[in-house]
Amino acid sequence: MDPHSAAFSLPPLLSTPLPDLATLQAAAHVVALPLNTRFRGVTHREAMLFHGPSGWSEFAPFLEYQPAEAAQWLAAAINHGWGAQPAIYRDAVPVNASVPAVDPADVRAVLQRFPGCTTVKLKVAERGQTLRDDVARVRAVHADFARRDLPPPLLRLDANGGWDVHTALAAARELAPYHLDYLEQPCATVAELAELRAQLQAAGLAVRVAADESIRKASDPLAVARANAADLLVVKAAPLGGAARALQLVAAAGLPAVVSSALDTSVGIAAGVQLAAALPPHLFGGACGLGTAALLQADVTREPLLPVAGQLPVVAAQPDAALLREYAVDPARRRWWFDRLAACYEVLAAA
């Protein structure tokens, strides 16, 4: 499909009939899992899990997301738990290590949770930190690989739109010698991404630009491709409404894609791995950001989807009943999640 065609639109949110709300409520479990490292300002990851006829699925939009946006996550959970799954091209997916915006002294402990990963994604442009802090974290990653007599890792920097073009270019100049692969959503707007990409090329810096928020939060997800503002896409199954919609978006853009997680439980990670496995070879962008179950202190399954030799298998995660009980939220929090489910359900029913 031509990304320059103004006629492109994503398919409907649901590829399977919408179950009754009572059916979803009866199939739901709500958990709060402790994190190893504070992430997005929280120390626990809350999620609602469903056991549908096609297997387990996850509804876990970040807490600040309002129903219109969070409904896409519910659609993904319904499509995965009640619908058919896409055909796959590979039975395992390489993943990158994920390093939050931690102190450089804590980098080594984080990397130990990602055995065999030779690509490292680092959070940068954290509020309250500076480029100097980001550089120090990158150097700590390199030092840890050197200490283990490993080749330098391939680095990806995720700024979540936190830099302007000038700062992003300065970061690329300073960190290019550290085997820098790409900058993920370095700037907030498509116009800024296009300007940065042009400046990187003019400066002779072989650093790619990846689009994340400019895809999944955009009313026109192909604007990035039309503006030649990115070299590749970062896609997540849940925010895009599930694997089928994500695959169609990637195909329409014609750019390689890296599949990432949203700090999911192993149930959500399994859906992301399936999406990554379903990307055609010419659109598969390499190591994916799906090793993030390593950032959880606990999970809903006795066999968490953790990287082994830098890879994750394509499997269906099976939650453990005792773990679902152990990490269940309190009654007040459960009501909050059920109210949220009902609000998002209304959005899907209206669509």
Side-chain angles (χ1 to χ4, degrees), residues 209-297:
V209 173
D212 178 8
E213 285 86 351
S214 289
I215 297 294
R216 61 185 172 87
K217 287 180 172 286
S219 58
D220 180 1
L222 291 188
V224 165
R226 282 196 296 269
N228 293 317
D231 299 282
L232 71 162
L233 310 179
V234 177
V235 297
K236 298 178 175 70
L240 290 171
R245 296 179 93 238
L247 288 169
Q248 183 164 336
L249 171 60
V250 173
L255 293 173
V258 168
V259 179
S260 187
S261 79
L263 196 61
D264 309 308
T265 76
S266 283
V267 170
I269 293 291
V273 172
Q274 190 167 61
L275 166 58
L279 284 169
H282 71 288
L283 294 176
F284 182 66
C288 292
L290 293 168
T292 52
L295 300 178
L296 301 173
Q297 280 187 27

Side-chain angles (χ1 to χ4, degrees), residues 16 54-58 75-85 267 270-272 274:
T16 190
S54 299
W56 285 88
S57 63
E58 180 170 321
I78 293 171
N79 287 331
H80 190 77
W82 275 260
Q85 307 310 317
V267 170
Q274 190 167 61

Side-chain angles (χ1 to χ4, degrees), residues 30-34 44 297-300 322-330:
V30 186
V31 296
L33 303 176
H44 287 73
Q297 280 187 27
D299 209 329
V300 295
L323 291 174
L324 292 176
R325 290 192 298 269
E326 180 178 355
Y327 294 104
V329 296
D330 61 50

Side-chain angles (χ1 to χ4, degrees), residues 13-14 18-22 24-25 59 66-72 74-75 78 337-351:
L13 276 170
L14 290 174
L18 180 64
D20 293 337
L21 178 58
L24 293 175
Q25 292 169 333
F59 170 56
Q66 297 303 303
E69 183 173 5
Q72 299 199 159
L74 179 56
I78 293 171
W337 271 95
F338 271 63
D339 288 344
R340 190 183 205 194
L341 170 62
C344 293
Y345 186 92
E346 287 185 10
V347 174
L348 294 184

Side-chain angles (χ1 to χ4, degrees), residues 49-206:
L49 306 175
F50 302 111
H51 193 194
S54 299
W56 285 88
S57 63
E58 180 170 321
F59 170 56
F62 294 118
L63 301 181
E64 68 272 19
Y65 288 6
Q66 297 303 303
E69 183 173 5
Q72 299 199 159
W73 301 58
L74 179 56
I78 293 171
N79 287 331
H80 190 77
W82 275 260
Q85 307 310 317
I88 62 173
Y89 290 89
R90 53 195 69 83
D91 57 12
V93 174
V95 297
N96 60 240
S98 296
V99 178
V102 297
D103 187 273
D106 297 325
V107 164
R108 178 180 176 184
V110 173
L111 290 176
Q112 287 176 341
R113 304 177 194 134
F114 298 91
C117 293
T118 58
T119 300
V120 179
K121 172 180 168 177
L122 300 96
K123 287 291 184 181
V124 295
E126 185 81 354
R127 185 174 299 177
Q129 296 187 5
T130 67
L131 181 56
R132 181 176 299 179
D133 297 310
D134 298 331
V135 172
R137 198 175 302 113
V138 167
R139 288 174 175 164
V141 168
H142 264 250
D144 182 74
F145 272 69
R147 179 189 61 79
R148 291 182 283 155
D149 293 324
L150 296 174
L154 188 64
L155 295 184
R156 297 164 172 177
L157 306 183
D158 183 7
N160 291 116
W163 284 333
D164 57 25
V165 173
H166 174 78
T167 305
L169 186 61
R173 288 184 187 278
E174 185 156 1
L175 296 174
Y178 289 90
H179 205 196
L180 187 56
D181 182 18
Y182 62 68
L183 304 178
E184 180 177 331
Q185 199 66 43
C187 307
T189 70
V190 171
E192 288 175 313
L193 295 182
E195 180 183 352
L196 174 62
R197 187 165 178 263
Q199 291 197 25
L200 288 169
Q201 293 172 349
L205 294 171

